[in-house]
Amino acid sequence: MTEQKAPRRRGRPRGGTDSRERIIAAAVDEFGEQGYDGTTVRSIAARAGVDSALVHHYFGTKADLFAEAVGIPLRPDIDVPGILAGSHDEVGERLVRYVLDAFEQPDIRRRGVMLMRTAIGSRLTTPLLAGFLSRELIGRIAKTLGVEDAELRATLVASQMAGLLLTRYVLKIAPIATASVDELVARIGPNVQRYLFG
């Protein structure tokens, strides 16, 4: 007589009512101790005392969980590949407009400025954010470009956008701080385009 396995349960993986909060707390600790690259969904699940499937159920990917844990207001890892997937004409302008249009929304601007201020002066947050952006954004842009110096090109774009956000929304240096989105897109977009495809 052979032993039969119990049928697999369907639906949400088992976990207590506070599982989501425990996962977030565990993620903050793991990312803080191991960095973005050194953290895995399994290590977060183990620290939270839940199954990995529950982490995926609540948050999806590691990038999704990181964004939730640190309060990233934009998801360039999700949105930017779609911007790059279309025609290469005016990709630079589309990227600049995507970032500026988002930061013109008060809630995104508030959280984005808080994250930038925190990242600039923190030995913990700076490498976390850099790891996330390197893997989830710069790496994806570089793969899309498929040229020998793709990583340098993608990093130049990131530096341009970070400088723009810092100057306009954190330091508020005029006239960049007061210029219209359309004017900044028209002036900065071609430079981003050159970094990508020039």
Side-chain angles (χ1 to χ4, degrees):
M1 199 167 166
T2 59
E3 186 178 313
Q4 291 186 346
K5 289 185 178 179
R8 185 173 175 164
R9 295 176 52 129
R10 293 185 176 227
R12 185 171 74 173
R14 289 168 48 185
T17 55
D18 66 340
S19 295
R20 194 175 194 285
E21 292 75 21
R22 286 199 335 263
I23 292 168
I24 291 266
V28 169
D29 290 342
E30 279 292 302
F31 285 126
E33 291 174 15
Q34 307 301 325
Y36 184 79
D37 289 334
T39 298
T40 65
V41 169
R42 283 186 182 194
S43 66
I44 292 168
R47 185 179 282 242
V50 301
D51 189 88
S52 300
L54 193 62
V55 178
H56 289 296
H57 170 77
Y58 280 127
F59 300 101
T61 66
K62 180 172 86 166
D64 295 328
L65 178 51
F66 177 78
E68 178 86 12
V70 302
I72 289 181
L74 284 180
R75 291 301 305 275
D77 56 312
I78 294 172
D79 299 331
V80 169
I83 294 171
L84 295 171
S87 165
H88 286 177
D89 296 340
E90 300 176 352
V91 165
E93 291 185 12
R94 291 198 306 266
L95 278 171
V96 176
R97 186 172 297 282
Y98 158 73
V99 172
L100 290 177
D101 280 349
F103 266 74
E104 289 300 301
Q105 299 173 46
D107 185 53
I108 290 178
R109 181 171 57 247
R110 180 180 54 78
R111 290 188 294 142
V113 167
M114 178 200 65
L115 187 59
M116 284 188 286
R117 287 183 191 276
T118 303
I120 288 169
S122 169
R123 286 185 294 176
L124 174 64
T125 311
T126 300
L128 273 178
L129 192 56
F132 172 79
L133 292 174
S134 293
R135 179 175 293 250
E136 303 297 342
L137 178 63
I138 294 169
R140 289 174 194 233
I141 291 174
K143 284 180 188 173
T144 301
L145 296 177
V147 294
E148 190 175 316
D149 62 345
E151 196 163 325
L152 176 59
R153 289 172 180 264
T155 306
L156 287 168
V157 171
S159 72
Q160 179 80 63
M161 300 313 300
L164 173 60
L165 293 176
L166 186 66
T167 303
R168 182 173 173 87
Y169 298 107
V170 178
L171 301 175
K172 298 181 181 180
I173 298 174
I176 287 180
T178 56
S180 71
V181 167
D182 288 340
E183 182 174 3
L184 293 173
V185 167
R187 289 178 179 257
I188 297 169
N191 202 38
V192 172
Q193 183 79 11
R194 183 177 58 82
Y195 286 150
L196 291 170
F197 305 111

